[in-house]
Amino acid sequence: MKESPSNHIRIAGLLILLVVAFLLDLSAGPVSIPLKGIFRALLSPHGADPTWGFIVRGIRLPKAVTAVLAGCGLSVGGLQMQTLFRNPLADPSILGITAGASLGVAAVMLAGGSMATVFAIEALGVPGSWLIIGAACVGAGAVMLLVLSLSNRLRDNVMMLILGIMIGSITLALISIWQYFSDPEEVKDYLLWTFGSLGGVTGSQLPILAIVVALGLVIAFLSSKMLDALLLGENYARSMGLSARTARLVIVCSTSLLAGSITAFCGPIGFIGIAVPHIARFLFHTANHRRLIPACCLTGAILLLCCDALSQIPGSQSVLPINIITSLVGAPLVIVLLLRQTTIQAW
Amino acid sequence: MTRYAVLYLIMLSGCRSADRQMPAAGQATPAAARTRVNYAKGFTIAYYDGYKEVKIPDHAAGAKDTLDYLLLAPGAAIPPGHPHGEVIRIPVQSLVAMGSPQVAEAAFAGVADRITGVGNGRYVFNPLVREGLRSGRVRQVGQETSLNNELLISLRPGVVLTMTDPDAASAQYRTLAEAGIPVLPDGDWLETTPLGKAEWVKLMGALTDREEFVNRRFDTVEQAYLRLAAIGRSAKIKPSVIVEMPFKGTWYMPAGGSFFAQFLRDAGAAYHWNDTNGTGSLAFGFETVAPEALKADFWLDIGDIGSKKDILNVDKRFGAFHAFRTGALYNYNKRVNEAGCNDYWEAGVVNPQWVLGDLIRILHPGLLPADTLVYHKQLK
């Protein structure tokens, strides 16, 4: 198949937009730093103003990199879910992975009982933030294994969808029980976690997130052919030699890695998973996953970088949580897209 | 939102030991013992022939409601002209203290043994009350929505002192009001000055007919505080200070109108947000505070932290702060009992002179004769 030149132009355009969005996110913040100052802080650490250097390299740069990773991971996870279930409303949390991660975090923050328990674990040398990340991973992993083991008995993917939603309900009920019996401060801590935060991933956490997200993206990209075949329907795919079980396993694993790790480090971030695959399809007019996956990565990264830049309300000292901005930006975008075309492509 | 942050901070309190028992004073209040409220804005006490009237104004949202309490001797008739007054029979012989400041106020007045119920036993420092919890003399009644109304009613306390907003009190505690148990909202956390917060002990004095004792004791506290404040304010060099620690990117800093900003002014500190409006805390992003945090001379009242390593575990970037590098880190968890309860939030509320003394000794070493800190310790 020949790559149309217009696709190359689109990819190039998106790459340029990515750089622009990255710089925009680096410039956004309560302390106003000119672009020259940002470059100096990034490229010559000793020549720059130490405060600016600390802010740009210590606060804004990790946040921007996290935004890129989360944008790529969540959008590709959403794409895979939309393909697997042939449902335009699917997003990475539909299997209950995000709910499982929330359950793990709630278990530490709410049901962990008195602070004495957390202190005891910290005395073993595990810092508090790693505890939360670890608990989220365990929760997400547990749900993933549950879904996989039960999916073997299920006839088709719609049942897996329902299974995921039911698991989500159960975890929500458990979390509600814990919230009911917790002190207001613990409930507020947990609530703040559910708002999502890109700025909390620093130091040694960032490389680990990068590795896991990269792994999930690589698995997804290598299974592009499988995803293409699934779009035609499971029976058709089977006739082309594709095993439904293998497909489910690979896709669920990849999505769990992406959604689980991002939720563990950043909290639940919504809307990127639903909106970005549609935007990518709209921009590239294709259902081919080999082109869609990189397109989703770029679009997702750009969108999340812009949302993060917007979350620093210009001219004010406050920062809105990222989850609020992604919903406020993502929903109108999808509505606009819907109004511009008569059908949703690829279905 | 900030209300809950402050509520939580207050709940983490503890109490002091060494309560002196004194016989209850007579019912008619001699003129010498009549209380004058000078600093606290949240309550007034008026003395009439045979009864006292406590008014707690509701400052929230410009509302003009005022809670009215009539403190009468047992058996006395309700005086005419006060249709909305809630009656409290005094001297109160048993009381329920929902939060740590209330326990501290009772201990200050020497009546900690009259406490028969607390909101959450985990947050009590006072050894006498803790002993009562262990022996069953003091019961845990729950807080806010998990209030155990039946237990509270069966305790039949003379008064229930709560920590909620005056306007919330009427809705939530209606069941108690119907059972004839008076509920008095303690608004000390709404006060904007340290002496104002501490002055709520005078309310306890009025409730227990121990005005003379409480007023004398408060006068000592007041004089010590004012003397220290004069010393602190006259300090030549004012070091810069940051407090607290960000959680998930949000850093709460006391606003310029808050009681803690007043502490810093009286201790002779330079506080970057001293001129901001507001009486609670301001929510900032890490980046907004970072320029100040990198340069500040002292980092005080950090939070649930025991050592420098704990700070780095939360976020390695805090190691770049000037105060961290020079070791000028002081946390308020020196007086913590084995259950993890911090006395700073209990007795510290009614003894602001000790807190101020700590701050001056930390910020201006050598300015005061003695060097031991009461509530603060340096983090290593």
Side-chain angles (χ1 to χ4, degrees), chain A:
Chain A
M1 247 192 298
K2 253 205 292 196
E3 284 277 346
S4 64
S6 56
N7 263 342
H8 288 297
I9 299 176
R10 289 197 189 104
I11 296 266
L14 278 183
L15 279 170
I16 295 176
L17 260 183
L18 179 66
V19 173
V20 169
F22 197 84
L23 287 174
L24 182 70
D25 195 29
L26 282 181
S27 314
V31 179
S32 63
I33 303 178
L35 210 52
K36 252 197 319 184
I38 293 180
F39 278 121
R40 209 176 295 148
L42 286 174
L43 301 171
S44 61
H46 296 294
D49 179 326
T51 309
W52 284 1
F54 180 82
I55 291 179
V56 171
R57 271 177 297 115
I59 300 180
R60 293 189 189 172
L61 189 61
K63 193 156 57 80
V65 173
T66 307
V68 170
L69 289 172
C72 291
L74 290 173
S75 49
V76 171
L79 176 68
Q80 289 183 301
M81 290 291 98
Q82 287 176 0
T83 299
L84 180 64
F85 295 114
R86 282 190 303 287
N87 184 330
L89 291 177
D91 73 352
S93 64
I94 210 165
L95 284 177
I97 308 283
T98 313
S102 306
L103 188 68
V105 171
V108 166
M109 283 194 184
L110 301 175
S114 63
M115 289 305 285
T117 323
V118 183
F119 280 147
I121 300 180
E122 285 191 351
L124 294 172
V126 180
S129 54
W130 276 114
L131 189 63
I132 292 176
I133 293 169
C137 287
V138 166
V143 169
M144 179 187 93
L145 289 174
L146 184 64
V147 166
L148 280 177
S149 61
L150 289 177
S151 76
N152 278 331
R153 308 224 204 115
L154 295 174
R155 240 192 2 222
D156 62 25
N157 290 331
V158 175
M159 291 186 149
M160 198 158 69
L161 187 66
I162 300 176
L163 176 72
I165 296 176
M166 291 302 111
I167 293 178
S169 298
I170 295 175
T171 55
L172 203 62
L174 279 174
I175 294 174
S176 300
I177 294 178
W178 288 331
Q179 282 181 318
Y180 186 74
F181 287 115
S182 298
D183 299 323
E185 178 62 18
E186 289 168 345
V187 175
K188 187 177 178 209
D189 281 353
Y190 178 73
L191 185 69
L192 282 179
W193 181 84
T194 63
F195 285 157
S197 151
L198 292 174
V201 186
T202 55
S204 46
Q205 298 172 354
L206 200 49
I208 297 188
L209 177 64
I211 291 172
V212 178
V213 168
L215 189 60
L217 290 174
V218 162
I219 296 178
F221 191 72
L222 292 177
S223 56
S224 307
K225 268 224 174 98
M226 206 188 298
L227 289 164
D228 287 337
L230 270 180
L231 266 184
L232 300 166
E234 267 193 32
N235 289 327
Y236 210 94
R238 220 172 277 132
S239 74
M240 290 168 67
L242 172 68
S243 151
R245 283 216 189 137
T246 323
R248 258 187 238 163
L249 180 69
V250 170
I251 293 175
V252 169
C253 277
S254 163
T255 309
S256 304
L257 275 176
L258 293 169
S261 62
I262 293 172
T263 308
F265 284 93
C266 309
I269 298 180
F271 238 101
I272 301 290
I274 295 188
V276 173
H278 290 295
I279 299 174
R281 279 190 208 98
F282 173 71
L283 285 175
F284 284 77
H285 302 295
T286 177
N288 183 338
H289 287 80
R290 278 204 64 161
R291 281 191 229 123
L292 265 187
I293 288 179
C296 278
C297 281
L298 287 174
T299 317
I302 293 171
L303 190 59
L304 202 52
L305 280 169
C306 292
C307 285
D308 188 49
L310 274 177
S311 72
Q312 329 269 350
I313 311 168
S316 130
Q317 305 279 28
S318 333
V319 175
L320 273 186
I322 190 72
N323 241 340
I324 297 177
I325 306 288
T326 52
S327 301
L328 285 176
V329 167
L333 254 177
V334 173
I335 293 175
V336 162
L337 283 178
L338 281 178
L339 293 174
R340 273 169 161 254
Q341 50 187 79
T342 49
T343 63
I344 298 177
Q345 291 201 320
W347 279 282

Side-chain angles (χ1 to χ4, degrees), chain A residues 30 58 60 183 188 202 317, chain B residues 8 122-123 252 287-288 317:
Chain A
R60 293 189 189 172
D183 299 323
K188 187 177 178 209
T202 55
Q317 305 279 28
Chain B
Y8 167 68
R122 242 170 47 199
Y123 299 131
Y252 287 104
E287 194 181 303
T288 313
R317 297 175 291 184

Side-chain angles (χ1 to χ4, degrees), chain B residues 99-118:
Chain B
S100 316
Q102 289 80 57
V103 174
E105 286 158 19
F108 191 94
V111 294
D113 55 326
R114 298 193 197 181
I115 296 178
T116 52
V118 293

